PDB file of all heavy atoms in Angstrom:
ATOM      1  N   GLN A 206      65.018 -93.535-261.705  1.00 93.00           N
ATOM      2  CA  GLN A 206      65.571 -94.759-261.033  1.00 93.00           C
ATOM      3  C   GLN A 206      65.167 -94.691-259.573  1.00 93.00           C
ATOM      4  O   GLN A 206      65.003 -93.667-259.003  1.00 93.00           O
ATOM      5  CB  GLN A 206      67.085 -94.884-261.311  1.00 93.00           C
ATOM      6  CG  GLN A 206      67.873 -93.674-260.770  1.00 93.00           C
ATOM      7  CD  GLN A 206      68.926 -94.123-259.743  1.00 93.00           C
ATOM      8  OE1 GLN A 206      68.654 -95.046-258.962  1.00 93.00           O
ATOM      9  NE2 GLN A 206      70.068 -93.499-259.821  1.00 93.00           N
ATOM     10  N   PRO A 207      65.181 -95.871-258.872  1.00 93.00           N
ATOM     11  CA  PRO A 207      64.642 -95.887-257.479  1.00 93.00           C
ATOM     12  C   PRO A 207      65.426 -95.098-256.530  1.00 93.00           C
ATOM     13  O   PRO A 207      64.836 -94.584-255.572  1.00 93.00           O
ATOM     14  CB  PRO A 207      64.684 -97.377-257.126  1.00 93.00           C
ATOM     15  CG  PRO A 207      65.620 -98.052-258.186  1.00 93.00           C
ATOM     16  CD  PRO A 207      65.491 -97.224-259.348  1.00 93.00           C
ATOM     17  N   VAL A 208      66.689 -94.920-256.640  1.00 95.00           N
ATOM     18  CA  VAL A 208      67.571 -94.294-255.624  1.00 95.00           C
ATOM     19  C   VAL A 208      67.077 -92.836-255.432  1.00 95.00           C
ATOM     20  O   VAL A 208      67.049 -92.326-254.313  1.00 95.00           O
ATOM     21  CB  VAL A 208      69.043 -94.336-255.950  1.00 95.00           C
ATOM     22  CG1 VAL A 208      69.875 -93.440-255.015  1.00 95.00           C
ATOM     23  CG2 VAL A 208      69.489 -95.754-255.860  1.00 95.00           C
ATOM     24  N   THR A 209      66.758 -92.133-256.493  1.00 94.00           N
ATOM     25  CA  THR A 209      66.370 -90.698-256.346  1.00 94.00           C
ATOM     26  C   THR A 209      65.152 -90.533-255.507  1.00 94.00           C
ATOM     27  O   THR A 209      65.143 -89.666-254.605  1.00 94.00           O
ATOM     28  CB  THR A 209      66.170 -90.138-257.806  1.00 94.00           C
ATOM     29  OG1 THR A 209      67.392 -90.025-258.449  1.00 94.00           O
ATOM     30  CG2 THR A 209      65.558 -88.713-257.636  1.00 94.00           C
ATOM     31  N   SER A 210      64.112 -91.281-255.655  1.00 95.00           N
ATOM     32  CA  SER A 210      62.882 -91.139-254.879  1.00 95.00           C
ATOM     33  C   SER A 210      63.149 -91.529-253.463  1.00 95.00           C
ATOM     34  O   SER A 210      62.622 -90.849-252.509  1.00 95.00           O
ATOM     35  CB  SER A 210      61.790 -91.923-255.497  1.00 95.00           C
ATOM     36  OG  SER A 210      62.081 -93.346-255.498  1.00 95.00           O
ATOM     37  N   ILE A 211      64.061 -92.523-253.233  1.00 95.00           N
ATOM     38  CA  ILE A 211      64.365 -92.956-251.861  1.00 95.00           C
ATOM     39  C   ILE A 211      65.189 -91.843-251.142  1.00 95.00           C
ATOM     40  O   ILE A 211      64.865 -91.473-249.993  1.00 95.00           O
ATOM     41  CB  ILE A 211      65.175 -94.268-251.909  1.00 95.00           C
ATOM     42  CG1 ILE A 211      64.217 -95.422-252.438  1.00 95.00           C
ATOM     43  CG2 ILE A 211      65.615 -94.643-250.489  1.00 95.00           C
ATOM     44  CD1 ILE A 211      65.025 -96.682-252.747  1.00 95.00           C
ATOM     45  N   VAL A 212      66.145 -91.370-251.864  1.00 95.00           N
ATOM     46  CA  VAL A 212      67.012 -90.327-251.286  1.00 95.00           C
ATOM     47  C   VAL A 212      66.250 -89.043-251.001  1.00 95.00           C
ATOM     48  O   VAL A 212      66.354 -88.397-249.907  1.00 95.00           O
ATOM     49  CB  VAL A 212      68.221 -89.955-252.272  1.00 95.00           C
ATOM     50  CG1 VAL A 212      68.802 -88.614-251.875  1.00 95.00           C
ATOM     51  CG2 VAL A 212      69.239 -91.081-252.199  1.00 95.00           C
ATOM     52  N   ASP A 213      65.366 -88.656-251.914  1.00 94.00           N
ATOM     53  CA  ASP A 213      64.612 -87.395-251.739  1.00 94.00           C
ATOM     54  C   ASP A 213      63.600 -87.510-250.526  1.00 94.00           C
ATOM     55  O   ASP A 213      63.440 -86.603-249.795  1.00 94.00           O
ATOM     56  CB  ASP A 213      63.762 -87.036-253.037  1.00 94.00           C
ATOM     57  CG  ASP A 213      64.708 -86.555-254.138  1.00 94.00           C
ATOM     58  OD1 ASP A 213      65.879 -86.274-253.905  1.00 94.00           O
ATOM     59  OD2 ASP A 213      64.222 -86.543-255.251  1.00 94.00           O
ATOM     60  N   SER A 214      63.049 -88.767-250.372  1.00 94.00           N
ATOM     61  CA  SER A 214      62.131 -89.010-249.245  1.00 94.00           C
ATOM     62  C   SER A 214      62.910 -88.912-247.950  1.00 94.00           C
ATOM     63  O   SER A 214      62.430 -88.278-246.951  1.00 94.00           O
ATOM     64  CB  SER A 214      61.460 -90.381-249.384  1.00 94.00           C
ATOM     65  OG  SER A 214      60.683 -90.415-250.599  1.00 94.00           O
ATOM     66  N   ASP A 227      56.969 -88.492-253.403  1.00 89.00           N
ATOM     67  CA  ASP A 227      58.242 -89.226-253.458  1.00 89.00           C
ATOM     68  C   ASP A 227      58.250 -90.521-252.571  1.00 89.00           C
ATOM     69  O   ASP A 227      58.763 -91.604-253.000  1.00 89.00           O
ATOM     70  CB  ASP A 227      59.454 -88.414-253.068  1.00 89.00           C
ATOM     71  CG  ASP A 227      59.881 -87.435-254.162  1.00 89.00           C
ATOM     72  OD1 ASP A 227      59.700 -87.768-255.354  1.00 89.00           O
ATOM     73  OD2 ASP A 227      60.312 -86.314-253.824  1.00 89.00           O
ATOM     74  N   VAL A 230      56.412 -93.360-254.251  1.00 93.00           N
ATOM     75  CA  VAL A 230      57.167 -93.881-255.398  1.00 93.00           C
ATOM     76  C   VAL A 230      58.324 -94.823-254.810  1.00 93.00           C
ATOM     77  O   VAL A 230      58.618 -95.917-255.274  1.00 93.00           O
ATOM     78  CB  VAL A 230      57.789 -92.784-256.248  1.00 93.00           C
ATOM     79  CG1 VAL A 230      58.697 -93.408-257.293  1.00 93.00           C
ATOM     80  CG2 VAL A 230      56.670 -91.940-256.920  1.00 93.00           C
ATOM     81  N   ALA A 231      59.015 -94.213-253.768  1.00 93.00           N
ATOM     82  CA  ALA A 231      60.072 -95.087-253.111  1.00 93.00           C
ATOM     83  C   ALA A 231      59.534 -96.339-252.518  1.00 93.00           C
ATOM     84  O   ALA A 231      60.220 -97.393-252.776  1.00 93.00           O
ATOM     85  CB  ALA A 231      60.685 -94.193-252.020  1.00 93.00           C
ATOM     86  N   TRP A 234      58.914 -98.930-255.283  1.00 94.00           N
ATOM     87  CA  TRP A 234      60.190 -99.515-255.768  1.00 94.00           C
ATOM     88  C   TRP A 234      60.693-100.528-254.758  1.00 94.00           C
ATOM     89  O   TRP A 234      61.037-101.681-255.123  1.00 94.00           O
ATOM     90  CB  TRP A 234      61.243 -98.440-256.005  1.00 94.00           C
ATOM     91  CG  TRP A 234      61.195 -97.723-257.271  1.00 94.00           C
ATOM     92  CD1 TRP A 234      60.849 -96.428-257.506  1.00 94.00           C
ATOM     93  CD2 TRP A 234      61.637 -98.306-258.545  1.00 94.00           C
ATOM     94  NE1 TRP A 234      61.067 -96.199-258.885  1.00 94.00           N
ATOM     95  CE2 TRP A 234      61.488 -97.273-259.508  1.00 94.00           C
ATOM     96  CE3 TRP A 234      62.083 -99.534-258.929  1.00 94.00           C
ATOM     97  CZ2 TRP A 234      61.830 -97.524-260.867  1.00 94.00           C
ATOM     98  CZ3 TRP A 234      62.418 -99.790-260.269  1.00 94.00           C
ATOM     99  CH2 TRP A 234      62.243 -98.741-261.202  1.00 94.00           C
TER     100      TRP A 234
END
Side-chain angles (χ1 to χ4, degrees):
Q206 60 122 321
V208 169
T209 292
S210 58
I211 297 168
V212 163
D213 289 347
S214 298
D227 281 329
V230 175
W234 274 110

